[in-house]
Amino acid sequence: MRIPDLLTDRLLLRRWRDGDATFAFELYSRWEVQRFLGRTPRVMADLREAEALVRRLRRREDRFRAYRVVELAATGEPLGTVMLQPLPASGASEPLRPSGDTEIGWHFHPAHWGRGYATEAAGSLLAAALDDGCPRVLAVTYPDNRASQRVCERIGMTSLGVSDAYYNTAMELFERTA
């Protein structure tokens, strides 16, 4: 799987660039964004952490991973992020081992919530992954993250109920197959 940059009616989904650290910090230093991310959510503390994140995401880009900044195509204003990556299986040892499944996710700045951007961007990335031969894509959400669950439904994913098979945490699990 090699996902290119993608263009939708309103959005450009592009690879991270060195200059994106300020946006990453603005996004991930907000509790309302971070509260549903990871087993122990926490806000980003400083710009150096954002710079390290951007470097890490750029290095990780390969045939199994796609990390994209989502921006308005007309203006270049960054709105959020979407990603495809290996989904770690629950297990007794850290770091968690890959499950063999692919995860899709999205994180958007609160100023841009409620406008359909997450659905448009995630739907485009999901279609690209399935078109490129990925047989199955999963999404996991915290049980009380109804907004992300609605995005899953809007992009054609099917709820599989609560599962603790990933991240050592009980999550709502969604699936879409090719």
Side-chain angles (χ1 to χ4, degrees):
M1 176 169 57
R2 285 262 186 220
I3 305 294
D5 290 353
L6 301 168
L7 186 63
T8 70
D9 289 340
R10 301 182 295 169
L11 307 173
L12 173 64
L13 286 63
R14 64 160 176 82
R15 287 171 176 78
W16 285 86
R17 301 177 189 143
D18 287 335
D20 289 327
T22 300
F23 168 67
F25 182 70
E26 173 64 20
L27 182 65
Y28 294 117
S29 65
R30 299 176 168 278
W31 177 248
E32 60 265 47
V33 172
Q34 290 291 95
R35 69 187 173 139
F36 292 126
L37 302 182
R39 284 183 286 161
T40 309
R42 68 170 196 81
V43 296
M44 191 172 276
D46 61 47
L47 188 58
R48 288 186 313 273
E49 196 175 346
E51 291 164 347
L53 172 68
V54 170
R55 282 191 305 273
R56 189 170 55 252
L57 294 178
R58 291 187 65 180
R59 270 194 322 270
R60 284 185 177 171
E61 185 84 21
D62 62 22
R63 68 179 290 257
F64 302 105
R65 296 174 178 90
Y67 301 98
R68 299 291 180 267
V69 172
V70 178
E71 59 185 33
L72 283 175
T75 66
E77 177 186 4
L79 309 172
T81 68
V82 290
M83 58 83 176
L84 288 169
Q85 66 183 13
L87 187 56
S90 292
S93 62
E94 296 281 340
L96 297 177
R97 295 183 182 272
S99 65
D101 290 317
T102 299
E103 171 186 21
I104 189 169
W106 46 87
H107 314 136
F108 279 78
H109 192 286
H112 304 293
W113 290 354
R115 298 181 189 172
Y117 296 138
T119 299
E120 188 173 333
S124 178
L125 186 60
L126 177 61
L130 296 172
D131 288 347
D132 195 49
C134 186
R136 172 177 136 147
V137 178
L138 299 175
V140 294
T141 73
Y142 278 96
D144 55 345
N145 188 350
R146 287 293 306 140
S148 282
Q149 292 162 21
R150 285 190 300 273
V151 171
C152 290
E153 293 163 357
R154 286 187 198 113
I155 64 175
M157 299 188 91
T158 301
S159 174
L160 301 179
V162 176
S163 173
D164 61 359
Y166 307 99
Y167 290 113
N168 285 345
T169 302
M171 305 287 264
E172 291 287 334
L173 182 62
F174 291 82
E175 172 189 61
R176 174 100 180 257
T177 57

